[in-house]
């Protein structure tokens, strides 16, 4: 599934930069380690794994993540907790995960329509993580699975921005008593969004109506 509306995709507060912290030498070492681990795993040679682990400080520091990467390539065995094995997210899933104001139904971004995922994915990524939609690249998804700090920070910031937007709309309508169109104009002005298409504005006004409907009880 994708974010609820087109404009939600614009809530990215940071651009995705590739980590360039590893030097060419470290990259070649990592590849060698990876190949050795695969071989040791394939031929059931625990002694080889032990040797590789103590070859250098670099290996000792990265052995855990290297094994995690290997596990990512294993056949998925766990039923997807987001779509419950269907391969797509429907309105029932959205309501169950309390994402009515954040997601639209469609292909499941958690399992990529497979219905099953790796145990590592279930352990490290919550099924209701708003940030993980079809807009994310596979590399970004892998970073989340491996616990990359920058990726986790982007996910947290995305959720904070989304919550802020929903709260902002609610207060403008229920407290400020502004109409839908005025709220929409203020939103696009806030994000310096110029030349907004009629379709985009209509879509956002429709979303404002959904927010008002969902948050009505809170302000009554």
């Amino acid at each position: 599934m994708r974010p609820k509306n087109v404009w939600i995709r614009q809530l990215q507060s940071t651009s995705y930069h590739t980590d360039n912290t590893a030097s060419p030498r470290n990259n070649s070492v990592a590849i060698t380690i990876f190949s050795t681990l695969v071989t040791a795993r394939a031929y059931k040679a625990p002694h080889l794994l032990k040797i590789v682990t103590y070859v250098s400080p670099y290996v000792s520091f990265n052995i855990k993540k290297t094994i995690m990467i290997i596990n990512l390539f294993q056949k998925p065995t766990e039923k997807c907790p987001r779509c419950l094995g269907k391969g797509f997210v429907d309105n029932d899933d959205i309501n169950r995960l309390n994402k009515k104001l954040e997601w639209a139904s469609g292909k499941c971004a958690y399992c990529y329509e497979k219905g099953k995922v790796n145990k590592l994915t279930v352990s490290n990524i919550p099924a209701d993580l708003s940030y993980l939609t079809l807009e994310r690249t596979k590399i970004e998804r892998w970073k989340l699975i491996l616990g990359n700090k920058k990726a986790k920070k982007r996910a947290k910031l995305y959720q904070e921005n989304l919550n802020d937007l929903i709260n902002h709309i609610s207060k403008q309508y229920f407290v400020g008593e502004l109409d839908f169109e005025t709220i929409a104009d203020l939103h696009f002005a806030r994000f310096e969004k110029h030349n907004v298409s009629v379709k985009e504005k209509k879509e956002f006004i429709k979303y404002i109506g959904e927010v008002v409907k969902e948050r009505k009880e809170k302000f009554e």
Side-chain angles (χ1 to χ4, degrees):
M1 77 290 138
R2 297 182 181 278
K4 186 71 178 178
N5 283 311
V6 175
W7 52 266
I8 287 184
R9 301 170 203 168
Q10 299 164 4
L11 285 179
Q12 314 311 318
S13 57
T14 56
S15 58
Y16 304 139
H17 298 291
T18 305
D19 274 333
N20 293 316
T21 53
S23 66
R25 178 181 176 278
N26 283 343
N27 283 334
S28 62
V29 172
I31 292 170
T32 302
I33 294 167
F34 183 86
S35 301
T36 306
L37 284 170
V38 171
T39 303
R41 195 184 186 97
Y43 291 96
K44 298 180 180 180
H47 60 283
L48 183 55
L49 278 171
K50 188 177 290 186
I51 291 171
V52 174
T53 304
Y54 292 101
V55 164
S56 71
Y58 180 89
V59 180
S60 299
F61 182 76
N62 290 278
I63 191 75
K64 185 176 179 180
K65 282 195 175 181
T66 305
I67 292 175
M68 287 172 72
I69 292 171
I70 292 173
N71 289 334
L72 280 177
F73 290 94
Q74 293 182 334
K75 186 177 180 180
T77 58
E78 305 297 304
K79 182 169 73 173
C80 178
R82 182 175 288 190
C83 68
L84 301 181
K86 301 186 298 295
F88 65 90
V89 173
D90 57 24
N91 289 330
D92 289 338
D93 298 317
I94 292 173
N95 290 332
R96 171 172 53 84
L97 296 170
N98 195 28
K99 296 296 173 182
K100 196 170 182 180
L101 294 176
E102 300 178 22
W103 293 342
S105 58
K107 299 175 182 177
C108 183
Y110 196 93
C111 66
Y112 279 110
E113 303 180 78
K114 294 177 181 177
K116 291 186 177 182
V117 291
N118 196 286
K119 287 183 179 180
L120 197 60
T121 304
V122 177
S123 299
N124 292 352
I125 302 182
D128 62 352
L129 185 67
S130 299
Y131 181 66
L132 184 57
T133 65
L134 293 175
E135 301 299 308
R136 307 293 156 245
T137 63
K138 286 188 177 182
I139 293 177
E140 184 74 355
R141 183 174 182 271
W142 284 10
K143 285 183 177 182
L144 288 169
I145 294 173
L146 295 173
N148 179 274
K149 291 182 179 180
K150 290 183 179 179
K152 289 172 70 175
K153 185 177 180 180
R154 286 191 287 269
K156 182 181 179 181
L157 204 53
Y158 177 85
Q159 185 66 67
E160 289 174 353
N161 286 340
L162 193 50
N163 291 342
D164 179 61
L165 177 63
I166 292 171
N167 290 331
H168 209 68
I169 291 172
S170 301
K171 289 179 181 178
Q172 285 179 324
Y173 181 81
F174 292 106
V175 180
E177 298 183 346
L178 302 178
D179 58 69
F180 289 4
E181 189 163 349
T182 301
I183 294 174
D185 290 336
L186 289 173
H187 166 76
F188 293 120
R190 180 187 180 195
F191 288 94
E192 298 182 353
K193 181 72 176 175
H194 304 294
N195 301 319
V196 179
S197 66
V198 175
K199 181 181 179 181
E200 188 174 2
K201 187 172 181 178
K202 283 184 177 180
E203 188 178 283
F204 185 64
I205 288 176
K206 180 181 178 182
Y207 179 74
I208 293 172
E210 293 178 14
V211 172
V212 169
K213 183 180 178 181
E214 288 296 312
R215 303 295 293 271
K216 188 175 181 180
E217 290 184 4
K218 183 178 179 180
F219 286 88
E220 283 183 341

